Structure formats: C-alpha cells, structure tokens
Amino acid sequence: MAHPRKKKRTHLGVRGGRTNSASVKPASKEPKSMVIRIGAGEIGASASQLVRDVRNIMEPGTASRLKERRANKLRDYTAMAGPLGVSHLLLFSRSDSGNINLRIALTPRGPTLYFRVEQFSLAKDVRKAQRHPQGGPKDFLTAPLLVMNNFTLPAPTDGSQPAVPKHLEFLTTTVFQSLFPAISPQATPLSSIRRVLLLDRQLPKINLGVDYGSYILHLRHYAIATKRIGISRSLKRLNSAEKLIKQPTKRSRSMPNLGALNDIADLLLDPSAAIPGCTSPSESEMETDAEIEVLEIEPKKVLNKQQMAAKRMKDSKNSRRDTRQIEKRAIKLVELGPRMRLRMTKIEEGVCEGKVMWHEYLNKTPEEVTQMQRVWDSKRERKEQRRRLQKENVERKKRGERTDSKDGGEEERLDAVDTEGDGWDSETTEGDKDVEMEVDDADAVFVG
C-alpha cells in the first residue's frame, strides 16, 4: 500500500521548510538602499548608466540587479521597503525640461532631499581618461569610507541669517552619514576599507556663480591603492620575480636580467649600475604625507574548533606578544567614477511628500509659515483620529460586534475631508480590512 506524501518544503518544523516568524533572527542594523530609475528607460541611456554606477558606489548594501518597469510607481517601492528592510531610496528621474533629478529619501518617515544633477561623468569615461585604471570586484565587497567636507559652514560675519539654516545642515549631514554603516577605528580592520566616497560642499563664491543661498555638492569615488615603501626598486623586482616563477604564465619583462652581473650583491648595492632604469632607495621614496604604518600581513591557517581551543589555551599560557613587524605603505587614490555635481533644491518632511522644510527659490514670511503649520497640524489631527477609529473598528470586529453606523459615518466624513491623502502609513494596524492598499506586485520585480 502506498504511503501518503508528506509535505516537507513549505511546512513548519521540517528541514529546508519555512521557519516560524518568531524564530527568525532580527534583521541587521546596517543600512540598505535601492537606486531606482523612475520611468525606467524613459530617462535615457546616459542616466541609466549613471544609475548603475551609483549602485556600484552603494555596494554591497544595495539591490545591484534591481529591474524597474515603466508601470512601477513610487508607492510600489515604498510598500516593499519595509518587508525588504530597505532604509534609503535613491530615485533618479528626468523632468520635462530634460534635467536629471535625484531624491534621497529615508523610509518610512522621511525626510527627502531633492537634488538636481547639474553635471556628471560616467565611470567608463573616467577609466578611459586614466593611463592605468584600477579597481576589481574585491573592492566592492565592503562599503566605502565616507569623507565629507564643508557640510557645516560658519555663520555670516555681518550678523545676517544663513540661507540654509543650521538645523537643516545637520540634517543633511545625518542623512548622508546614514547611507553607509558606521566604522570603529579600534575594531574595523584596515584591509576592509578599499574605497573612499568624497562629498565636498562648494563654498559660496559670487565670482564663481555660487551664491550664498545655494547648496552644491561635488561627489567623487576613489579606490585605495597601497604599496610597500622603504625598499629599492631592484628588491621589489626580485620579490615580484619570485611570485612570477610560481605562475604558469611568465612575463619576461618583469624578470630582472642578471646576466651581466658577477654577484647578486651588485644588484642590491648598486642597482643603477646593474640594471638600466633602476633607482636608488632615496629616489623611490614618496612624500611623507602619503605614508602610513601598518602591521605586516601574515597568512593564517584555517583551524577547526578543537584546534582553535588548543591555540587559545597555548596563547594564554605563553602570553605571547604580537611578533609581526610594522611596515610602511604608501597610499594612493585612484578614481573609479562616477562624478556628479549636485545642487540641492528642496527638503521635504516625508517620503517625497509632506511639509516643505526648505526651498532654494521660494521664501515664506513668518505669517505664511504659521499658516502652513496650522494646515499640517489639522491634517495630523485628522489622521490620528481616523487611525483611532480604524483601531476601534478592528477590535469591535474581533469581538464579533456590529459596527456602529454613527462611527462609520464619522470615519467616512473624515476620509472625504482629507482629499490629498496621507501616502503610505507604516503604523496602520495589521489585519485592518477597512483600509485597502492596492499595489500591483506583478509589475514590480525586485532582485536582491
């Protein structure tokens, strides 16, 4: 007699099946982002390539293989940001006049920074302009080191109010700092820092066309290249020749020619006489400001648990010190691209909506600001009241009671008053069937 089949792939408690939500480990606190093209291919080929270059900058905490469709709306991405653990949205779009705009939004509450991409250069153009371009896949396994300059300017000397308020300058600084995970100088290994993202705010200068009311950022992306210093070029060539001997394909140009020498000491003591083109150790030194001292890297053997326990016990008994030597290395930054010149135009309180906190071109009087604050306070009160009524209706339905017609009419009246809508609300009670959010999941393709 045939035995009935047991479902082992999607049921709880089986190997390889679904796990209970209570036993799932909490998501990591590292920021995750999505770089999105609003309108898909309508923004143009150059802007699409710029989006791919920005995704390389945000690696590894981004959706590098994200595929957009023209039918996708902003509401689709914000609805999926919560389940996927996405904390930042970088939205590229093209206006009717042909300008490329960038919006950096924090989910689910905001704020949103609006930028206009005034100038940009693609990564492939930067590589073509270099004689020896660098950068490999290992450089994108860790997040870049963020360096910001001039984000907070001193107060004007004439006593006037700054064009960009101080609290908004600190807000912009916090938003960019939250794009990447924080590092600890004591715990973060130097080998994990392979890239640098430089954000430089251009100082206001009237003669350069930058007035005091503008906020302009220059973005650069570099790879960190290091090499040992303090030794002659001949000794470096001997070290490289030792590595080339072990490789199946040998390069004769990298191998030093010792046929004209009587002793190898002639190569080390007088490299200029031994091999043409070799320089003395003093000529191979670089500037002192590009030198750092690091511990010498030594290979480590992979050990199992028993071997690791025995090694710890042996180290504790012998109290051995670190015998690695300190070596000097020269640092050089090689640009990877892309380049961008960003001009901030607006800051909004929510995710691409809400109260305008700052605008480059529009200035409001104190009376207009007070009136606008009253409007937003009334909207917030209606939203809280509607949320309270929804929660009461859900609890009443759970108890099996019938919804009061008076409260239902009051809720419909509040919904009709708020004609502009409140967008995506992450605090809506789960299980509420009165509020329907129609999101076409078939149109959105999210690839991690």
Side-chain angles (χ1 to χ4, degrees):
M1 182 176 178
H3 295 284
R5 171 180 170 269
K6 294 183 179 181
K7 297 183 178 180
K8 300 180 179 180
R9 289 175 291 182
T10 58
H11 280 59
L12 296 173
V14 298
R15 182 177 299 178
R18 291 190 300 114
T19 57
N20 193 2
S21 59
S23 61
V24 176
K25 296 182 179 180
S28 61
K29 295 182 180 180
E30 293 186 357
K32 296 182 180 180
S33 61
M34 286 196 301
V35 186
I36 304 167
R37 299 177 301 165
I38 299 297
E42 296 179 355
I43 65 175
S46 298
S48 299
Q49 183 62 38
L50 178 62
V51 171
R52 289 189 285 269
D53 294 342
V54 174
R55 288 175 182 173
N56 291 334
I57 295 177
M58 305 302 297
E59 287 281 2
T62 187
S64 58
R65 293 178 292 174
L66 178 65
K67 296 182 180 179
E68 309 92 339
R69 293 184 180 178
R70 295 184 180 180
N72 293 141
K73 304 299 181 182
L74 177 61
R75 191 174 184 180
D76 301 337
Y77 300 109
T78 54
M80 294 301 299
L84 296 177
V86 176
S87 58
H88 295 77
L89 296 178
L90 282 77
L91 310 170
F92 282 88
S93 60
R94 183 183 292 273
S95 62
D96 297 336
S97 58
N99 297 325
I100 300 177
N101 300 319
L102 169 63
R103 289 173 287 177
I104 302 178
L106 273 69
T107 59
R109 295 296 179 188
T112 304
L113 307 181
Y114 286 73
F115 294 94
R116 184 171 70 249
V117 183
E118 294 185 340
Q119 299 174 1
F120 69 93
S121 298
L122 301 178
K124 61 179 182 180
D125 300 330
V126 174
R127 286 195 298 268
K128 287 181 181 179
Q130 296 175 352
R131 186 176 180 180
H132 300 290
Q134 296 185 7
K138 292 184 179 180
D139 296 341
F140 300 95
L141 297 179
T142 55
L145 176 66
L146 180 62
V147 179
M148 298 184 295
N149 185 34
N150 294 330
F151 265 60
T152 303
L153 298 181
T157 56
D158 55 356
S160 60
Q161 294 294 331
V164 182
K166 288 296 180 182
H167 67 282
L168 295 182
E169 288 184 348
F170 288 115
L171 176 63
T172 306
T173 305
T174 305
V175 169
F176 279 103
Q177 286 179 346
S178 63
L179 284 173
F180 304 100
I183 63 173
S184 175
Q186 292 80 14
T188 304
L190 293 178
S191 59
S192 63
I193 303 176
R194 294 177 173 267
R195 294 181 294 139
V196 174
L197 179 63
L198 175 61
L199 294 174
D200 181 25
R201 180 183 176 184
Q202 187 171 351
L203 296 177
K205 294 182 180 179
I206 303 299
N207 54 356
L208 296 180
V210 182
D211 55 359
Y212 289 92
S214 60
Y215 196 102
I216 297 178
L217 297 178
H218 293 272
L219 184 143
R220 298 290 186 272
H221 185 212
Y222 299 94
I224 301 177
T226 62
K227 64 178 181 179
R228 297 180 62 182
I229 61 174
I231 58 177
S232 62
R233 183 180 296 181
S234 58
L235 188 57
K236 291 181 182 179
R237 295 187 67 182
L238 287 178
N239 292 336
S240 61
E242 183 181 359
K243 297 178 182 179
L244 291 173
I245 292 175
K246 301 178 182 179
Q247 295 180 359
T249 59
K250 303 179 180 60
R251 304 184 212 171
S252 59
R253 291 181 299 176
S254 300
M255 301 285 291
N257 186 10
L258 305 180
L261 301 178
N262 297 326
D263 191 358
I264 195 173
D266 298 337
L267 174 65
L268 300 179
L269 298 178
D270 192 7
S272 60
I275 299 178
C278 288
T279 58
S280 60
S282 60
E283 295 178 357
S284 62
E285 294 290 340
M286 298 184 63
E287 297 180 0
T288 56
D289 57 349
E291 297 178 5
I292 60 171
E293 294 182 353
V294 296
L295 290 177
E296 184 180 1
I297 300 175
E298 60 179 9
K300 294 183 179 180
K301 185 179 179 181
V302 179
L303 305 177
N304 55 23
K305 294 182 179 179
Q306 297 179 356
Q307 293 174 345
M308 287 293 294
K311 183 176 180 299
R312 292 194 195 97
M313 187 177 298
K314 183 179 179 180
D315 294 344
S316 62
K317 290 181 179 180
N318 298 336
S319 64
R320 186 182 61 178
R321 297 184 303 172
D322 196 351
T323 59
R324 291 181 295 174
Q325 297 180 356
I326 296 177
E327 61 180 8
K328 290 185 178 182
R329 287 185 173 269
I331 295 180
K332 183 181 179 181
L333 297 181
V334 181
E335 189 170 3
L336 297 176
R339 298 179 181 181
M340 284 194 294
R341 175 187 166 100
L342 305 174
R343 188 185 190 99
M344 189 166 64
T345 57
K346 186 171 59 171
I347 301 178
E348 286 186 349
E349 193 175 28
V351 180
C352 300
E353 63 178 4
K355 182 175 64 174
V356 178
M357 305 174 64
W358 178 81
H359 202 286
E360 183 181 8
Y361 305 111
L362 301 179
N363 296 323
K364 294 183 177 295
T365 62
E367 293 78 9
E368 293 175 344
V369 173
T370 304
Q371 181 64 24
M372 184 179 63
Q373 185 64 33
R374 291 176 182 174
V375 173
W376 284 105
D377 291 342
S378 62
K379 286 185 179 181
R380 190 178 297 107
E381 291 177 0
R382 291 197 302 268
K383 185 176 181 179
E384 293 177 356
Q385 187 175 1
R386 184 170 60 253
R387 186 180 302 164
R388 179 182 55 82
L389 292 175
Q390 291 172 356
K391 186 175 181 180
E392 292 177 357
N393 291 338
V394 171
E395 295 177 353
R396 189 180 298 109
K397 289 179 181 178
K398 288 181 179 180
R399 294 194 303 265
E401 298 180 1
R402 187 174 181 180
T403 306
D404 191 3
S405 59
K406 182 177 179 181
D407 292 343
E410 180 68 16
E411 183 178 354
E412 293 177 359
R413 185 185 67 81
L414 290 172
D415 290 338
V417 170
D418 192 3
T419 57
E420 297 181 2
D422 296 315
W424 178 57
D425 184 10
S426 63
E427 295 185 0
T428 305
T429 307
E430 296 182 1
D432 187 1
K433 299 181 180 180
D434 291 345
V435 180
E436 296 181 359
M437 181 179 295
E438 298 178 359
V439 178
D440 189 6
D441 293 333
D443 292 339
V445 181
F446 295 91
V447 182

